[in-house]
Amino acid sequence: MNATELRASLGLAGIYALRMLGMFLILPVFAIYAKTLQGADNHTLIGIALGSYGLTQAILQLPLGMLSDRIGRKKVIYGGLLLFAIGSFVAAGAHDIATLTIGRVIQGAGAISAAITALLADLTREENRTKAMAMIGMSIGTTFAASLVLGPLLAKYIGVNGIFALTGFLSLAALIGVWLVIPDPAQSRFHSDTEANAKRLPAVMKDGQLLRLNYGIFALHAAQMAMFVTVPFALIKTAHLDKSQHWQVYLPVTVIGFILMVPAIIYGEKKARLKPVFIGAIALMTAAQLGMALALDSFWQIVGWLSLYFIAFNILEATLPSLISKIAPADAKGTAIGVYNTSQSFGLFLGAAAGGWLYSHYGPAGVFGFTTLLMLSWLIWSLGMQPPKAVRSVMLHIGESWQGDAEALSRELAGVAGVHEAAVVLADRVAYLKVSQQQWDEAEVRRLIDATF
């Protein structure tokens, strides 16, 4: 990476982390706090308030990404961060569940994920874009783990309304960071690897392999939100832990999850055994949900099942994007990721709302019975998935003045040893390839690409 690319990648990863920190910090303490507000005697309303963020995210994520193509990336990002800050301050001042829900809805309207990845694509060369996206992915995972520990601690000292206010200031800090730190792109254009293309949506939506993954991320995050509507109350009831002490549970189980995730991912990727690892993680997640449905009356059982949950969760969070990249058509990766992210956001909303309703009517057993069925249905559907090919994505720039036959060049590239798929998109000036992880004729591919300059 050159200096500009490194600055853009680190800066946008940091800004993404600041924004995600604002969302994740409240997760472990939200339900307990919301219960103290006026009108929150109904647990269903607590679930809706928690999940309403995901609903507006799901509705606006793709449209705002497309809008950034027309009016500029930074304008959409500025607007989104400002909306997130406003929503945070509304939630911070809420004295009733309705106002808290309005604040969460406004927070979710700042759906800038697609605009951030598009700006990152504008500021990085094709050959470095995967590294840049990996930085953002690492920032999200690290922020989530840190938030489970920091959220309860901050709630002790500044209260949950203070956390909301803090997230508002963090969002404003991120806005200033975009202005002062992130370079302005010399040129903004559509990138098939990071942005959704409306013309490619039908093909992506009909792809059975991608549908399995989209359902998976929906189910995974629906179960996560339902869990955080329930587990905090179980920790108080069973272990008599104040919410400020819940980090003592979350810290060890998240650390265990991260440590045990690494060998599983390495084994799956290096040995081309990603499907067995993936299926095994879903089975482990199903067992964890069933365990919590049957045994939430013992503190140590809660810790044990949470440990299994976070092992499975971390493996699935890491493998799902990898599977999307391997399975999605080479020239529609951005569209596939956009649908995937939208499915995740819908899962956040429906999981929290359903979890709240089930807790009100059937207690914790009802919530985890529901999440067990979600995981079991995902497990059964995933058994029929095709083992993903041991491939990785490569993007190579096409000469700006070249006006040759894109389809003919795609066929030539696809015929090179070790190249599984190739798509040349002149509008992007990019050749999108899927190549063998073991060996491919890079010299021949570069010879064909060099002929376009």
Side-chain angles (χ1 to χ4, degrees):
M1 284 188 176
N2 60 35
T4 299
E5 289 175 318
L6 189 59
R7 176 183 168 189
S9 300
L10 291 173
L12 286 172
I15 287 161
Y16 212 109
L18 279 177
R19 180 175 166 276
M20 298 307 287
L21 186 66
M23 185 181 80
F24 291 146
L25 278 174
I26 58 94
L27 194 57
V29 293
F30 183 92
I32 298 170
Y33 166 73
K35 189 73 174 175
T36 66
L37 299 180
Q38 296 177 17
D41 51 329
N42 186 334
H43 216 85
T44 305
L45 297 179
I46 295 175
I48 291 173
L50 177 61
S52 56
Y53 172 94
L55 181 61
T56 41
Q57 279 273 308
I59 294 170
L60 295 174
Q61 194 163 186
L62 288 180
L64 288 180
M66 295 176 183
L67 180 64
S68 75
D69 289 330
R70 302 182 63 182
I71 68 171
R73 317 295 190 202
K74 284 194 171 183
K75 289 180 181 178
V76 170
I77 294 171
Y78 289 148
L81 289 171
L82 187 59
L83 277 173
F84 189 86
I86 292 170
S88 298
F89 292 132
V90 170
H95 297 288
D96 56 77
I97 195 69
T99 305
L100 181 62
T101 303
I102 291 170
R104 294 286 288 165
V105 167
I106 298 171
Q107 279 186 317
I112 57 172
S113 300
I116 287 179
T117 54
L119 178 58
L120 186 65
D122 287 337
L123 294 169
T124 54
R125 289 168 293 171
E126 291 80 5
E127 58 266 31
N128 290 326
R129 198 164 300 149
T130 300
K131 299 174 188 176
M133 293 298 294
M135 291 182 187
I136 287 182
M138 289 174 62
S139 75
I140 296 172
T142 304
T143 300
F144 174 69
S147 296
L148 293 181
V149 176
L150 291 175
L153 286 173
L154 285 172
K156 177 180 180 180
Y157 294 105
I158 63 175
V160 177
N161 56 340
I163 294 178
F164 275 118
L166 176 62
T167 63
F169 288 117
L170 287 175
S171 187
L172 294 177
L175 191 155
I176 295 171
V178 173
W179 175 41
L180 296 178
V181 177
I182 307 304
D184 292 316
Q187 180 184 13
S188 287
R189 64 186 182 194
F190 181 83
H191 304 275
S192 295
D193 61 310
T194 60
E195 298 181 71
N197 182 348
K199 294 180 181 179
R200 298 293 280 139
L201 275 173
V204 167
M205 296 292 289
K206 293 176 184 177
D207 189 310
Q209 298 300 310
L210 292 176
L211 281 174
R212 283 185 174 90
L213 301 180
N214 292 334
Y215 178 74
I217 195 63
F218 165 84
L220 182 64
H221 283 270
Q224 179 194 58
M225 297 302 275
M227 185 182 82
F228 278 108
V229 170
T230 307
V231 167
F233 294 102
L235 290 174
I236 291 174
K237 180 180 178 181
T238 302
H240 307 293
L241 285 176
D242 183 77
K243 66 177 184 292
S244 64
Q245 298 174 304
H246 288 189
W247 68 271
Q248 298 171 12
V249 175
Y250 295 131
L251 177 60
V253 297
T254 53
V255 169
I256 291 170
F258 269 109
I259 291 173
L260 295 183
M261 169 194 74
V262 175
I265 298 300
I266 292 174
Y267 172 76
E269 291 285 359
K270 296 294 184 182
K271 302 294 185 180
R273 299 283 292 169
L274 205 53
K275 179 180 176 179
V277 169
F278 183 66
I279 297 296
I282 301 174
L284 184 61
M285 177 65 78
T286 305
Q289 299 298 323
L290 179 60
M292 285 188 273
L294 298 175
L296 275 183
D297 56 352
S298 164
F299 171 72
W300 290 109
Q301 288 189 44
I302 294 174
V303 172
W305 293 123
L306 282 177
S307 298
L308 293 182
Y309 169 85
F310 279 104
I311 294 168
F313 181 83
N314 288 332
I315 292 172
L316 293 168
E317 277 284 283
T319 53
L320 277 165
S322 177
L323 288 168
I324 287 282
S325 181
K326 294 177 189 300
I327 293 171
D331 61 339
K333 180 181 173 183
T335 306
I337 291 172
V339 174
Y340 170 87
N341 288 336
T342 299
S343 301
Q344 175 180 326
S345 295
F346 272 123
L348 296 175
F349 170 67
L350 291 174
W357 185 85
L358 287 165
Y359 190 91
S360 293
H361 292 81
Y362 304 102
V367 174
F368 287 108
F370 164 69
T371 58
T372 300
L373 291 176
L374 271 180
M375 294 301 107
L376 185 60
S377 63
W378 183 20
L379 175 62
I380 293 170
W381 196 8
S382 295
L383 290 173
M385 73 179 286
Q386 298 173 6
K389 295 178 180 178
V391 297
R392 61 186 178 89
S393 298
V394 173
M395 292 174 284
L396 296 171
H397 189 67
I398 299 295
E400 293 293 337
S401 60
W402 187 75
Q403 294 296 327
D405 189 334
E407 291 187 6
L409 180 56
S410 297
R411 289 193 295 271
E412 285 187 81
L413 290 168
V416 175
V419 177
H420 292 260
E421 187 179 347
V424 175
V425 182
L426 276 183
D428 294 4
R429 313 305 303 184
V430 173
Y432 297 100
L433 310 177
K434 289 185 181 180
V435 303
S436 173
Q437 288 181 339
Q438 304 301 320
Q439 187 176 1
W440 60 290
D441 193 344
E442 185 176 359
E444 177 61 13
V445 167
R446 292 196 178 277
R447 185 190 69 79
L448 292 170
I449 295 296
D450 287 344
T452 67
F453 286 87

